[in-house]
Amino acid sequence: MCLSNFPPFNLLLHHLTFFLRGDRRRHLRGAGDMASIAVPDPTPPPALDAENIRKAVQGWGTDEKKLIEILGRRTAAQRAAIAREYARLYNESLLDRLHSELSGDFRSTMMLWTVDPAERDAKLVNKALRRKDDNFALRKTDEHYIWVIVEVACASSPDHLMAVRKAYCSKFSSSLEEDVASCSYKDPIRQFLVGLVSSYRYTDDYVDEGLAKSEATELCNAIRKKQPHHEDVLRIISLRNKSQLKATFKHYKQDFGKAIDEDIESYGSSLFSRVLRAAVLCLGFPEKHFAEVIRYSIQGLGTDEGTLTRAIVSRAEIDMNNIKEVYKIMYNTTLTREVTGDTSGFYKDILLTLIGSEE
Amino acid sequence: MCLSNFPPFNLLLHHLTFFLRGDRRRHLRGAGDMASIAVPDPTPPPALDAENIRKAVQGWGTDEKKLIEILGRRTAAQRAAIAREYARLYNESLLDRLHSELSGDFRSTMMLWTVDPAERDAKLVNKALRRKDDNFALRKTDEHYIWVIVEVACASSPDHLMAVRKAYCSKFSSSLEEDVASCSYKDPIRQFLVGLVSSYRYTDDYVDEGLAKSEATELCNAIRKKQPHHEDVLRIISLRNKSQLKATFKHYKQDFGKAIDEDIESYGSSLFSRVLRAAVLCLGFPEKHFAEVIRYSIQGLGTDEGTLTRAIVSRAEIDMNNIKEVYKIMYNTTLTREVTGDTSGFYKDILLTLIGSEE
């Protein structure tokens, strides 16, 4: 038997390799170049991370900086491994411990970031649906509860949405589409949302250009005739895969002179039009949607921390670098500057860690 | 190093154990007590099965009986393992070999039985959708193409349907719901089918009896007012999970004096009513639906082999024992007697093997 097969020695070797090679940070490649978090290379073994987290939460006071340094710089898979190791080593749930040690917006950010992403989105959507069911009058800000549903359905990968639906079923004893169908939004919004959350858009780079051209025309006809809820629109936006839709949106702009989201905005001001526009953006230009969402959360009187946190946590591993670029162009300022100006303390620190460096 | 870790010796050990313990057949437990196939205990290792299949298809003539004896008595997971071993050992696809060795209904049955069940259902549904798109007039027999879609959507487990949707996407470069939405069935049938195939009904034994009672009333109101396509009906049948629906159907019978499927039949004769009835049966009483489907395929002038094969292949590992019982009660004859009377040769042999013994 070789010594390296012996678990404790194996762990020690990992520790040694880690310290000898140093903590050289690099941008995360695994989740695509557009992810903003900086994962150290080499990454410490999960048991070592769990051990350091334990030190940070034990005793008098909490070392929040350490928690941010570790959890804020690990991928979803790495965070899951850390949580497993933490539970195994200390016989308590990492999430429970974070909940009892931390507070306020910092706590909710750390928890949303540490929990499994599919479970996180299932919870966010459920909260959005319950919020509406609490019979709040549908104020302007309540629209953002619909956006949560649209984002999870349209700005996720098909397999992530599938995982969210499974997580939703096991957490809430009802299916996501069932709860959306019985929520109190009126048709056609409700019907549209059911279609969006039920869809499994295949991932394929093949595009049928002829279809894209003809569906761009169908969309334009409906939108400019002020019938955004026409069944062709619902069918195309609910069912087509993203590559196909991107081609359709490109044809829309080429053939009709205006981007589809701008057209939706100028030809209709109903709640349905705004939901449709959010879906179109999440499917075709998610970075624009999230730049708008973040801007909304920061602008005006007070900050909408829930929205800000959701946008940053859910996109840090997906396309935050894109969002930062678009933000600069759209609002002539950097996301870092905005977040720095509007938040404080450890909450600010974790957000800036997730946003990553601005070039 | 222990000898048993050495692959060839390991295989030999398996072979020996298998022959020493003898080929005691037992009814399959893994897929539930209602499965009809008889898997030998112990099951030969996949490599040995692959070897024996190779012998059966090589040289002059094919040993069809051997193929039935092996493949007809293995679970889906075991058949998949055999196909993998066959490809590894002989560098050719088992399905391709079966295709070139066999012919007629026997071939299509063996291939449908050997292919991965999710892929099989994806292909069956695609064929059903294409058939309609070929612009055949919708004759009585064409209804059975709609049934394929309803069966896959409603008589499968949620995870199987999910697997079918994934297989569909990777085989046909479009999503199942997208193809159903653009097929030439008219609304409300089309809309209903899209809802059925898109749903992920969670699996849960918890039943809300109050909801079941009130939704039974909603269903009854719509059905007896001859509005089977009422949006409440579509929502309830498309979205509720099976335990909940079974409770709803029980309340329907208790509170309104008649089973829901009988009511649908007596209050409407439209194609939509028949599709709705098929969905209700597949969700609540699949054995009744499949007994009817098999009866249809056998009755009248000539046998509809495609339908007969589909029903038996797709239910052998799920609820064939139930179907046999229900068949006896409904038609006063046994399934074995019917299949024996209507089919012949190896096609008959494989069907009877899959149907299993009648008690």
Side-chain angles (χ1 to χ4, degrees):
Chain A
M1 175 183 264
C2 160
L3 253 182
S4 71
N5 288 330
F6 188 61
F9 188 80
N10 197 11
L11 191 64
L12 188 64
L13 252 179
H14 263 284
H15 282 46
L16 271 174
T17 323
F18 175 68
F19 285 117
L20 288 174
R21 291 172 67 187
D23 182 3
R24 279 171 287 133
R25 301 198 188 288
R26 64 176 172 86
H27 279 283
L28 173 74
R29 298 268 143 195
D33 288 354
M34 291 306 122
S36 54
I37 61 167
V39 180
D41 180 19
T43 314
L48 178 59
D49 277 342
E51 206 179 290
N52 285 325
I53 288 174
R54 178 70 169 188
K55 282 181 201 149
V57 295
Q58 247 187 346
W60 203 68
T62 307
D63 187 348
E64 287 90 352
K65 279 199 179 310
K66 195 80 195 163
L67 293 179
I68 295 172
E69 187 194 311
I70 300 172
L71 290 168
R73 295 178 195 280
R74 300 292 182 276
T75 65
Q78 290 165 347
R79 298 190 305 272
I82 293 170
R84 273 196 304 276
E85 279 302 301
Y86 188 93
R88 191 181 64 78
L89 291 169
Y90 308 111
N91 211 18
E92 70 171 9
S93 138
L94 175 56
L95 280 172
D96 287 350
R97 188 63 189 240
L98 292 177
H99 189 269
S100 72
E101 288 294 321
L102 314 176
S103 65
D105 296 320
F106 177 56
R107 170 166 79 186
S108 51
T109 310
M110 290 303 280
M111 292 190 66
L112 279 179
W113 179 247
T114 305
V115 75
D116 167 65
E119 200 177 316
R120 172 197 73 209
D121 285 350
K123 281 182 180 171
L124 287 172
V125 175
N126 182 262
K127 204 174 148 197
L129 286 166
R130 277 191 293 111
R131 166 81 180 194
K132 189 64 192 59
D133 278 347
D134 289 346
N135 277 325
F136 279 80
L138 194 70
R139 294 167 313 206
K140 173 94 180 120
T141 54
D142 286 333
E143 268 186 58
H144 295 267
Y145 289 100
I146 307 188
W147 290 10
V148 180
I149 306 169
V150 173
E151 285 166 13
V152 170
C154 302
S156 302
S157 76
D159 287 326
H160 179 72
L161 174 57
M162 214 55 116
V164 172
R165 292 171 72 182
K166 287 196 182 194
Y168 195 99
C169 285
S170 66
K171 276 227 105 51
F172 305 109
S173 283
S174 55
S175 75
L176 173 54
E177 56 270 34
E178 190 176 24
D179 282 0
V180 173
S182 27
C183 78
S184 48
Y185 297 118
K186 296 272 177 298
D187 278 335
I189 291 182
R190 196 176 55 168
Q191 190 196 345
F192 183 48
L193 292 176
V194 171
L196 294 179
V197 301
S198 306
S199 205
Y200 180 69
R201 301 173 204 265
Y202 68 105
T203 319
D204 192 349
D205 290 334
Y206 169 76
V207 168
D208 181 336
E209 290 289 342
L211 184 73
K213 217 172 153 61
S214 75
E215 294 195 334
T217 310
E218 289 179 56
L219 290 173
C220 185
N221 283 342
I223 291 164
R224 295 196 177 170
K225 281 181 189 156
K226 303 200 175 188
Q227 298 183 322
H229 50 274
H230 189 283
E231 70 170 84
D232 285 339
V233 179
L234 301 194
R235 182 179 50 77
I236 295 166
I237 304 297
S238 308
L239 295 173
R240 294 291 180 224
N241 78 70
K242 294 187 186 180
S243 316
Q244 183 69 33
L245 282 173
K246 280 178 185 160
T248 304
F249 300 157
K250 204 183 75 200
H251 279 287
Y252 195 108
K253 191 164 184 178
Q254 274 171 10
D255 300 352
F256 306 106
K258 226 170 146 192
I260 178 169
D261 58 299
E262 291 168 25
D263 243 15
I264 296 172
E265 207 170 10
S266 54
Y267 280 90
S269 60
S270 65
L271 180 58
F272 182 83
S273 289
R274 295 196 298 275
V275 174
L276 175 65
R277 182 173 174 276
V280 163
L281 286 182
C282 283
L283 289 161
F285 324 94
E287 57 284 354
K288 187 171 176 187
H289 170 82
F290 284 100
E292 287 184 1
V293 165
I294 293 172
R295 180 70 169 185
Y296 153 85
S297 74
I298 281 174
Q299 285 271 301
L301 273 177
T303 308
D304 178 347
E305 287 86 1
T307 301
L308 178 63
T309 305
R310 186 187 84 235
I312 291 176
V313 163
S314 64
R315 304 315 284 188
E317 268 184 282
I318 299 180
D319 55 2
M320 185 50 76
N321 283 341
N322 262 345
I323 296 172
K324 285 185 289 195
E325 285 310 305
V326 168
Y327 203 94
K328 237 182 276 177
I329 298 164
M330 285 173 74
Y331 305 113
N332 209 18
T333 177
T334 67
L335 193 48
T336 303
R337 210 175 305 145
E338 297 268 74
V339 169
T340 308
D342 258 57
T343 61
S344 62
F346 298 120
Y347 177 51
K348 181 180 79 181
D349 295 345
I350 178 67
L351 292 186
L352 291 179
T353 302
L354 298 182
I355 289 170
S357 63
E358 302 263 1
E359 326 244 294
Chain B
M1 175 182 264
C2 160
L3 254 182
S4 70
N5 288 330
F6 188 61
F9 188 79
N10 198 10
L11 191 64
L12 188 64
L13 251 180
H14 263 285
H15 281 46
L16 272 174
T17 323
F18 175 67
F19 286 117
L20 288 174
R21 290 172 68 187
D23 183 3
R24 279 172 286 133
R25 301 199 188 288
R26 64 174 172 88
H27 280 282
L28 171 74
R29 299 267 142 195
D33 288 354
M34 290 306 120
S36 54
I37 61 167
V39 180
D41 180 18
T43 315
L48 178 59
D49 277 342
E51 205 179 290
N52 285 325
I53 288 174
R54 178 70 170 186
K55 283 181 199 149
V57 294
Q58 247 187 346
W60 202 68
T62 308
D63 188 347
E64 287 89 352
K65 278 199 180 308
K66 197 77 196 165
L67 294 179
I68 294 173
E69 188 194 309
I70 299 171
L71 290 169
R73 296 178 193 281
R74 299 292 183 276
T75 64
Q78 291 165 346
R79 298 191 302 275
I82 294 170
R84 273 196 305 275
E85 279 303 302
Y86 188 93
R88 191 181 63 79
L89 290 168
Y90 309 112
N91 212 17
E92 69 171 9
S93 138
L94 175 55
L95 281 172
D96 287 350
R97 188 64 189 240
L98 291 178
H99 189 269
S100 72
E101 288 294 321
L102 313 177
S103 66
D105 296 319
F106 177 56
R107 170 166 79 189
S108 51
T109 311
M110 290 302 281
M111 292 189 66
L112 278 180
W113 179 247
T114 305
V115 75
D116 167 64
E119 202 178 315
R120 173 197 74 208
D121 285 350
K123 281 182 180 171
L124 287 172
V125 176
N126 182 261
K127 204 174 147 198
L129 287 167
R130 277 190 294 111
R131 165 82 180 193
K132 190 62 193 60
D133 279 345
D134 288 345
N135 275 327
F136 279 81
L138 193 71
R139 294 165 314 204
K140 173 89 180 123
T141 53
D142 286 334
E143 268 186 59
H144 294 266
Y145 290 100
I146 307 188
W147 290 11
V148 179
I149 306 168
V150 173
E151 285 166 13
V152 170
C154 301
S156 301
S157 74
D159 287 326
H160 179 72
L161 175 57
M162 215 56 119
V164 172
R165 292 170 72 182
K166 287 196 180 192
Y168 195 100
C169 287
S170 65
K171 276 228 105 50
F172 305 109
S173 284
S174 56
S175 75
L176 173 54
E177 56 270 33
E178 191 176 22
D179 282 0
V180 173
S182 27
C183 78
S184 48
Y185 296 117
K186 296 270 177 300
D187 277 336
I189 292 182
R190 196 176 56 168
Q191 188 197 346
F192 184 47
L193 292 177
V194 171
L196 293 180
V197 301
S198 307
S199 204
Y200 180 69
R201 300 173 203 266
Y202 69 105
T203 319
D204 191 349
D205 290 334
Y206 169 76
V207 168
D208 182 334
E209 291 290 342
L211 185 73
K213 217 172 152 60
S214 76
E215 293 196 332
T217 309
E218 290 179 56
L219 290 173
C220 185
N221 283 343
I223 291 166
R224 296 198 176 169
K225 281 181 188 156
K226 303 200 174 190
Q227 297 183 323
H229 50 273
H230 189 283
E231 73 169 82
D232 285 339
V233 179
L234 302 193
R235 182 180 49 78
I236 295 167
I237 304 296
S238 309
L239 295 174
R240 293 292 179 223
N241 78 69
K242 293 188 188 182
S243 316
Q244 184 67 35
L245 281 173
K246 281 178 185 161
T248 304
F249 300 157
K250 205 183 75 200
H251 279 288
Y252 195 108
K253 191 165 184 178
Q254 274 171 10
D255 299 352
F256 306 106
K258 228 169 145 192
I260 179 170
D261 58 301
E262 292 168 24
D263 244 15
I264 296 172
E265 206 169 12
S266 53
Y267 282 89
S269 60
S270 64
L271 179 59
F272 182 82
S273 289
R274 296 197 297 276
V275 174
L276 175 65
R277 183 173 172 276
V280 163
L281 287 182
C282 284
L283 289 162
F285 325 94
E287 55 286 352
K288 188 173 176 185
H289 170 82
F290 284 99
E292 287 184 2
V293 165
I294 294 173
R295 180 70 169 186
Y296 153 85
S297 74
I298 282 174
Q299 285 270 303
L301 274 176
T303 308
D304 178 347
E305 286 86 1
T307 302
L308 179 63
T309 304
R310 185 187 85 233
I312 292 176
V313 163
S314 64
R315 304 315 284 187
E317 269 185 282
I318 300 180
D319 55 2
M320 186 49 77
N321 282 341
N322 262 345
I323 296 173
K324 285 186 289 194
E325 285 309 305
V326 168
Y327 203 93
K328 238 183 274 177
I329 297 165
M330 285 173 75
Y331 305 113
N332 208 19
T333 178
T334 66
L335 193 49
T336 303
R337 210 175 303 146
E338 298 266 74
V339 169
T340 307
D342 259 56
T343 60
S344 64
F346 298 121
Y347 177 50
K348 182 180 79 182
D349 295 345
I350 179 66
L351 292 187
L352 291 179
T353 302
L354 298 182
I355 289 170
S357 63
E358 299 263 1
E359 326 245 293

